[in-house]
Amino acid sequence: MTVDQLIGAGVLAATLRLATPILLAALGGVVSERAGVVNIALEGCMLVGAFFGVVAADQSHSVVVALVAAMAVGAGLAAIHAVAAIHLRSDQIVSGMALNILALGLTSYLDYQFYGTTGTPSDLAGVPDIEIAPLAAVPFIGDVIAHQNAIVWAGLALVVLIQVFLFRTVPGLRLRAVGEHPRAAETVGIAVRQTRYWAVIASGMLAALGGAYLSLSVAHSFTDGMTGGRGFIGLAAMIFGRWTPVGALVASLIFGYGTALSFSLQGASIGDVRVPVQLLSTLPYVLTILAVAGFVGRSRPPAADGLPYETEGHA
Amino acid sequence: MPVASVIFALAIGAIFVLLSGHDPIAAYVDLFRGAFGSPYDITETLIQTIPLVLAGLAVAVAFRTGLFNIGAESQLLIGAVAAGAVGARFADLPGFLLFPMVLAAGIGAGAGWAAIAGYLKAARGVNEVITTIMQNYIVVFVMHWLLQNGPMTAPNALGTPASAPIGAGAVLPIIIPNELVPLTRLHAGIFLAIAAVVVFWFLLWRTPLGYELRAVGLGARAAAQAGIDPRTRTVIAMAIAGGFAGMAGMIQVTGVFHRVFDGFSSGYGFDAIAVALLGKNSPIGIALAALLFGAFARGGSIMQANAGVSAQLVSVIEAVVLFVIAAELIVRVLTARRRARKPLEAIA
């Protein structure tokens, strides 16, 4: 094991890359839960984003069309969850899980019907990297950030945007009011259900962007179940980050670092013992459990999180 | 109501078949024939049903206690790993010693693994949904290691990383004579599954512990007021749940595969969520729902081979069933317009 394997520029660059999909899911979780809706369908939204991003890229040969399509389908799946959670007052966990299974089944089904067993086309339009020429020559920093993907930067920008939106604007205050005390919010004229719909739909779009990042920026292909639980890890990052965008970023970077380590330590040995690659791969998942176990008591979810809201006199 | 949701789901599934350019009627006929078309097909359907029953019970015990156990898949897998390890390590022991050891290993491993999620919920307030989902991924990678280049790796002819076979003493016998149904693989695990359903019923509705678990499930605060500590019951409920799922894995090892291999479960633990919800967390309901999904699993693979419609259609149908149950209101509004509303049972 060397210092380079632990904190080298390669590891840090990989940390940013690997944190991005988790971050986007976590941001989706923040927006949705701040408005009072638990959306564990984020994993499914990511998966449909990944798949339909590839389909649209294949059909249109345009990255922009692909990303728009991915986010539209993610919004659609999230909208189904919104109807179930907000209008039908379903159990939000069960509805979310159902949509996750639906997303997995649907994308695997369509993957087979569209592309058979040969896999998705190899000439997909991919999301480009952003080359920051002046930085490229700077040692270390250049290696970390000079060649990152456009969606990595988009994710970082969204952290700032959503942080400012939630905590420095009136609509953001309203959204949080809906998640903390919907009755009080309604009393002052805020449309509770409408706000929740938009929040859930936005969360689906964010997660789908994370999914499209996986298929169009990283893998340049789609494989069944390729999101591998990143939507769920995103929810853990949201909790760990105390339901704030900046907190979610920090948490996502920690998970990203855990994953980056699991790659860079492949073949490494501690003393004489070679660390098995597969056991290193469990690192992000173990880290998630530990992080949530250590932090859940100390961070508080929005007061009305997960509770359906019934207009008075309507029940 | 469960029947209505299945019919609704089949209709949605038909739309997808139609959209992908196939004949839905033909696909469903193939599905049904594949599941029940011959005595052999029926025994194959039952083989799929057995692990679904047990994993369904694993989800249902947790539901009854107000917990959502999404980890039946990894509890099943770890039960299979433990059963496979013990069965192979002590392969020379006679059956009357080896089988109980393998059974205990499977149940114990599943129970211990699931109890971690229960403990984290009880002691640290960690949502069991997150823990059990993460556990699912962890076990998959641990199995990769164990079977690809770890302590359980053994040379084999399967073309996939696998463990050494278990001892003959631990193998569950085939229960139908070859003359009656040629080549059938239906094994004595079906009796274990039936016994587990009875145990589930007896435990929950005929013992003090079962009463306490259900009390916690209906309202943790009220239960605590009545002197039932929800935290200990949470750990116990998860352990029991894991025991059922571990037994499912153990039966797959002793009854079907006689060893553990990479990619061992075809998602029984996830199908189990639909089984438990569709079966309303009741013993008979779970058995019937497991039979339905067992038929889907068996029939789906035949449908894929014959009609060229991906067997994944089955997971689409399953998800719609789940969603409709979650959004129970849709069906209730469609069937009986103004019946009194009642909250979805025992899901917190």
Side-chain angles (χ1 to χ4, degrees):
Chain A
M1 202 181 291
T2 66
V3 174
D4 224 33
Q5 278 174 319
L6 289 178
I7 51 163
V11 177
L12 297 186
T15 297
L16 262 180
R17 276 199 300 277
L18 294 161
T20 295
I22 296 168
L23 172 66
L24 287 164
L27 289 175
V30 169
V31 172
S32 177
E33 296 210 4
R34 278 285 176 178
V37 180
V38 173
N39 185 5
I40 67 166
L42 288 176
E43 173 79 7
C45 293
M46 276 186 107
L47 198 54
V48 296
F51 178 71
F52 286 96
V54 165
V55 172
D58 176 32
Q59 298 293 322
S60 70
H61 303 287
S62 153
V63 176
V64 177
V65 172
L67 290 180
V68 169
M71 289 171 75
V73 180
L77 195 72
I80 299 176
H81 181 64
V83 173
I86 299 165
H87 247 88
L88 305 176
R89 305 190 314 283
S90 322
D91 185 281
Q92 297 177 6
I93 303 278
V94 178
S95 159
M97 241 1 247
L99 291 173
N100 287 330
I101 295 176
L102 177 68
L104 183 59
L106 189 64
T107 51
S108 307
Y109 174 76
L110 293 177
D111 187 29
Y112 179 85
Q113 300 297 347
F114 289 179
Y115 303 112
T117 49
T118 54
T120 49
S122 54
D123 58 341
L124 288 173
V127 180
D129 290 346
I130 292 184
E131 306 289 338
I132 307 176
L135 275 180
V138 181
F140 201 77
I141 294 173
D143 293 333
V144 178
I145 62 171
H147 315 284
Q148 290 288 357
N149 192 263
I151 296 183
V152 174
W153 292 110
L156 294 173
L158 281 165
V159 171
V160 178
L161 277 177
I162 296 173
Q163 182 84 23
V164 170
F165 169 78
L166 282 177
F167 298 100
R168 293 282 179 276
T169 70
V170 173
L173 175 68
R174 290 193 176 136
L175 186 146
R176 287 187 293 128
V178 164
E180 290 289 345
H181 201 315
R183 180 129 302 155
E186 187 170 54
T187 310
V188 297
I190 299 170
V192 173
R193 289 182 164 193
Q194 197 183 332
T195 307
R196 287 187 168 179
Y197 267 107
W198 285 118
V200 175
I201 289 169
S203 77
M205 293 171 75
L206 286 163
L209 181 63
Y213 168 78
L214 288 173
S215 63
L216 294 176
S217 301
V218 181
H220 297 282
S221 66
F222 178 84
T223 45
D224 294 352
M226 73 183 295
T227 47
R230 288 180 183 82
F232 298 122
I233 297 180
L235 288 177
M238 167 198 76
I239 295 171
F240 191 50
R242 302 178 185 209
W243 284 268
T244 68
V246 171
L249 171 65
V250 173
S252 303
L253 287 172
I254 293 173
F255 292 136
Y257 180 65
T259 317
L261 267 192
S262 76
F263 290 135
S264 90
L265 290 182
Q266 286 186 11
S269 43
I270 301 172
D272 286 338
V273 185
R274 258 179 100 85
V275 188
V277 177
Q278 300 96 334
L279 290 187
L280 283 171
S281 303
T282 66
L283 211 57
Y285 307 107
V286 175
L287 215 56
T288 301
I289 293 179
L290 292 180
V292 178
F295 272 78
V296 77
R298 276 174 274 164
S299 61
R300 191 186 67 84
D305 203 10
L307 302 176
Y309 179 67
E310 195 75 49
T311 312
E312 202 147 4
H314 180 273
Chain B
M1 165 33 224
V3 177
S5 54
V6 171
I7 292 172
F8 181 71
L10 287 172
I12 300 275
I15 294 173
F16 280 111
V17 178
L18 211 57
L19 288 178
S20 60
H22 295 274
D23 177 1
I25 307 278
Y28 282 146
V29 168
D30 272 330
L31 186 83
F32 185 81
R33 277 217 196 107
F36 299 110
S38 73
Y40 176 79
D41 290 323
I42 293 172
T43 62
E44 283 295 309
T45 292
L46 288 174
I47 289 171
Q48 297 292 333
T49 304
I50 293 165
L52 287 175
V53 169
L54 284 155
L57 296 176
V59 178
V61 168
F63 266 142
R64 285 284 178 188
T65 316
L67 301 162
F68 194 5
N69 177 17
I70 301 181
E73 180 76 0
S74 72
Q75 294 146 20
L76 180 153
L77 287 172
I78 210 155
V81 165
V86 170
R89 173 72 183 75
F90 303 102
D92 298 331
L93 288 181
F96 72 90
L97 278 178
L98 185 57
F99 189 79
M101 283 165 62
V102 170
L103 181 67
I107 293 175
W113 182 240
I116 296 175
Y119 170 78
L120 288 173
K121 167 94 173 186
R124 310 283 324 181
V126 182
N127 192 320
E128 76 282 3
V129 170
I130 290 192
T131 318
T132 51
I133 288 172
M134 293 301 123
Q135 285 185 316
N136 285 339
Y137 290 103
I138 291 170
V139 169
V140 167
F141 286 110
V142 170
M143 278 183 81
H144 285 331
W145 169 63
L146 285 172
L147 297 167
Q148 286 169 3
N149 52 0
M152 285 180 77
T153 310
N156 69 86
L158 293 181
T160 176
S163 70
I166 58 171
V171 171
L172 287 167
I174 305 290
I175 57 168
I176 297 180
N178 207 26
E179 303 86 67
L180 270 169
V181 183
L183 296 176
T184 183
R185 305 185 297 157
L186 185 60
H187 52 81
I190 191 167
F191 301 125
L192 292 175
I194 293 168
V197 172
V198 175
V199 167
F200 172 82
W201 166 78
F202 187 83
L203 178 81
L204 278 175
W205 283 277
R206 288 292 180 273
T207 68
L209 175 64
Y211 171 82
E212 292 164 5
L213 296 184
R214 287 185 294 120
V216 171
L218 292 173
R221 200 164 294 173
Q225 287 291 327
I228 304 168
D229 181 5
R231 286 172 304 177
T232 57
R233 302 318 186 277
T234 295
V235 181
I236 294 170
M238 283 307 293
I240 295 171
F244 279 124
M247 191 169 159
M250 170 266 169
I251 288 177
Q252 291 302 92
V253 169
T254 54
V256 184
F257 300 114
H258 307 158
R259 61 172 93 220
V260 192
F261 55 90
D262 229 4
F264 182 80
S265 166
S266 53
Y268 293 117
F270 298 112
D271 299 345
I273 298 167
V275 166
L277 283 170
L278 187 63
K280 299 233 150 200
N281 301 314
S282 79
I284 300 298
I286 290 167
L288 290 175
L291 182 63
L292 178 74
F293 283 107
F296 278 156
R298 165 66 187 166
S301 56
I302 300 296
M303 177 186 71
Q304 173 160 336
N306 289 355
V309 175
S310 164
Q312 291 295 341
L313 177 67
V314 167
S315 24
V316 175
I317 294 172
E318 182 187 313
V320 177
V321 169
L322 258 184
F323 186 77
V324 170
I325 294 169
E328 212 180 350
L329 214 64
I330 308 177
V331 175
R332 218 180 300 133
V333 169
L334 290 178
T335 48
R337 278 209 163 265
R338 292 196 183 278
R339 238 188 298 160
R341 284 173 186 165
K342 94 172 188 273
L344 191 61
E345 231 174 308
I347 297 161

